[in-house]
Amino acid sequence: MTKKLLLFVFLIAGAIGLYAQTISGNVTDLTGAGITNYQVYIINNDSMNPYSSSTYTAGGGAYSFSNVPSSSSGFVVYVYDCQQSMQTVNLAANSGTANFSICTSNPSSCTAVFYSTPDSSNANLIYFTDLSSGNPTSWSWSFGDGSGSSSQNPSHTYGASGTYTVTLNISSANCSDSYTTTVTVGNVVPSCVADFYSYADSNNVQLIQFIDNSAGSPTSWSWDFGDGATASTQNPNHTYAATGSYNVTLSISSANCSDTYTTTVVVGNVTPGCIANFTFAPDSNNTSLIHFYDASTGNPTNWMWDFGDGNTSSLQNPFHSYASSGTYNVSLIITGNNCQSSYNANVIVSGSVLSYTVEGSIYANNLVVTAVDVDLFDVTNNVVAYSTRVSPMGTYNFANVVAGTYIVLATPDTTVIPGYAPTYYGNVIFWSAATQLNVNANQSGININLVAIPVTPGSGSISGTVSTGNKSSVENLNVYLTDDNNSDVLVASTTSSC
């Protein structure tokens, strides 16, 4: 009996020695250098005879599992990289080498960003707030006027109003990053940006009133009404000879700047030809990936996009990944159905910069409306940073908005919502009176009530006095009231009491 038991133990030991194995390998960083004291895990795929273990790398990144029992279903050896992603190597039965090359520090572990706000009593005193991620331990500010600071959240008083380029450099033991933007100091208006809106006379649809809505206090206006006629007044009106669609251009200038804005004006009760337009939004997971959405009218059949970085597309609703952050001028040209139109907008690509959402609803006469385009205007960089269309629920949403100062503009489709003007947040129709948003957190409830066009036809009276050069009253003289077409509509005679 003793000999049989010894023989049985010997056979078991022999079996273990025969089928046990060693699994080994190396763990290196992305440069090929070995990583010491790094944990490595192993598990088999056999639910009937489970096996798991872990060990640590030695010098040069080498590791080894010994006396690993055989498994007909094989093994998985794995490690976790710098981003806590599992990196695996699948081994077949009775094979024994698994090597890893992994990152050891997150290359994007810190991102510099900040926002600024002026003091409520002193517009030249600016408060800077660090919003950087990655737990930096060092801050270096350059305020753009020769001054700087090493505080995390400094304040700075500028000697003069103006626009300054401010840079924040951050660092820690493992990373560094910088962020630069412009900051407007003092009660100054951004450089001029041309803009206008128009509406038809209530009694004559071919008589169009143009309202200058430009920013920057221009002193000169030059209008091209698209039919050969021009004007140089700030808010002209023009009677078109025929209904149709006209490309109207406003050029503005002042002592320090100039700008031009062109848009299509539909004259008369007609359906316009094709008009190019688009909206865009960054991807929810990658803010360098921008989705473009064609919003053109007129049923175009061809689309040509220029993304502003040398790349193009002929899709109707393309998306494009930008290589770096920045502002890109994107254009869309549409053709088909006997017409052609173009539209361009500035697109801000924020990369990995901290971002927020801005959302709200649009109303007309306190009722929710949907046929409205909404633009988010970047005051600092003087560009339309984001554009969208109100949803069927009457809400709009801008995602991935970088920190900064913005103005919201709602532009109604007058063919669907007649009688209302483009309206800024704050429920005003002029840029200078708009309520500015300092976006440094998610903004909700940014609602706009569209302003009714200030034209109210109805009865009224006009009176005055007619006198000679010596100020004597003139009796029995006919006085005529004419319309914009120089047609007499009323006539009156002076009396002895004039």
Side-chain angles (χ1 to χ4, degrees), residues 25-380:
N26 291 279
V27 180
T28 61
D29 62 22
L30 298 180
T31 68
I35 304 173
T36 303
N37 200 33
Y38 206 85
Q39 193 167 15
V40 184
Y41 303 84
I42 187 173
I43 189 171
N44 68 5
N45 293 320
D46 190 346
S47 60
M48 299 299 295
N49 297 290
Y51 169 80
S52 64
S53 184
S54 68
T55 189
Y56 287 85
T57 58
Y63 72 92
S64 176
F65 293 99
S66 57
N67 295 321
V68 178
S70 302
S71 173
S72 60
S73 57
F75 299 90
V76 176
V77 183
Y78 61 97
V79 297
Y80 291 95
D81 66 11
C82 63
Q83 297 176 338
Q84 292 304 300
S85 296
M86 180 187 291
Q87 306 297 322
T88 63
V89 174
N90 293 298
L91 298 178
N94 303 318
S95 64
T97 303
N99 296 319
F100 299 90
S101 178
I102 62 172
C103 63
T104 56
S105 63
N106 192 340
S108 58
S109 57
C110 62
T111 300
V113 70
F114 67 87
Y115 75 93
S116 60
T117 53
D119 184 80
S120 59
S121 301
N122 179 5
N124 283 17
L125 173 58
I126 306 298
Y127 297 95
F128 295 92
T129 302
D130 171 46
L131 292 176
S132 303
S133 62
N135 300 315
T137 57
S138 175
W139 300 265
S140 177
W141 298 82
S142 174
F143 297 126
D145 63 349
S147 301
S149 174
S150 58
S151 300
Q152 182 178 6
N153 299 303
S155 61
H156 180 61
T157 300
Y158 287 86
S161 300
T163 301
Y164 297 84
T165 300
V166 179
T167 299
L168 168 62
N169 293 289
I170 62 170
S171 62
S172 68
N174 299 315
C175 72
S176 63
D177 194 31
S178 65
Y179 175 67
T180 299
T181 190
T182 55
V183 174
T184 300
V185 176
N187 298 316
V188 296
V189 179
S191 59
C192 58
V193 177
D195 187 29
F196 69 87
Y197 68 92
S198 61
Y199 56 88
D201 184 81
S202 57
N203 296 313
N204 180 4
V205 294
Q206 289 174 224
L207 173 58
I208 307 298
Q209 175 68 54
F210 294 92
I211 303 297
D212 171 47
N213 198 28
S214 303
S217 301
T219 56
S220 175
W221 300 264
S222 178
W223 297 83
D224 182 338
F225 297 122
D227 63 349
T230 60
S232 58
T233 55
Q234 182 177 7
N235 300 305
N237 57 50
H238 178 62
T239 300
Y240 287 87
T243 60
S245 298
Y246 297 86
N247 289 324
V248 179
T249 299
L250 168 61
S251 298
I252 62 170
S253 62
S254 67
N256 300 315
C257 72
S258 62
D259 193 34
T260 299
Y261 174 67
T262 300
T263 191
T264 301
V265 174
V266 179
V267 177
N269 298 317
V270 296
T271 301
C274 63
I275 300 175
N277 192 18
F278 65 83
T279 61
F280 57 89
D283 187 83
S284 59
N285 296 314
N286 177 9
T287 55
S288 293
L289 177 62
I290 307 298
H291 297 266
F292 294 92
Y293 304 97
D294 173 44
S296 305
T297 61
N299 298 316
T301 56
N302 298 289
W303 299 264
M304 178 52 67
W305 298 81
D306 183 336
F307 298 122
D309 63 350
N311 292 289
T312 61
S313 174
S314 59
L315 299 176
Q316 182 178 6
N317 299 302
F319 57 87
H320 179 60
S321 181
Y322 287 87
S324 59
S325 302
T327 301
Y328 298 87
N329 188 263
V330 178
S331 66
L332 168 63
I333 299 174
I334 61 171
T335 59
N337 287 327
N338 300 315
C339 73
Q340 176 176 317
S341 180
S342 63
Y343 176 73
N344 65 285
N346 286 314
V347 175
I348 294 181
V349 179
S350 61
S352 60
V353 174
L354 191 64
S355 60
Y356 308 97
T357 60
V358 176
E359 58 187 6
S361 298
I362 308 299
Y363 299 86
N365 195 25
N366 296 318
L367 297 176
V368 173
V369 290
T370 59
V372 182
D373 292 316
V374 185
D375 296 317
L376 193 62
F377 192 90
D378 184 341
V379 175
T380 302

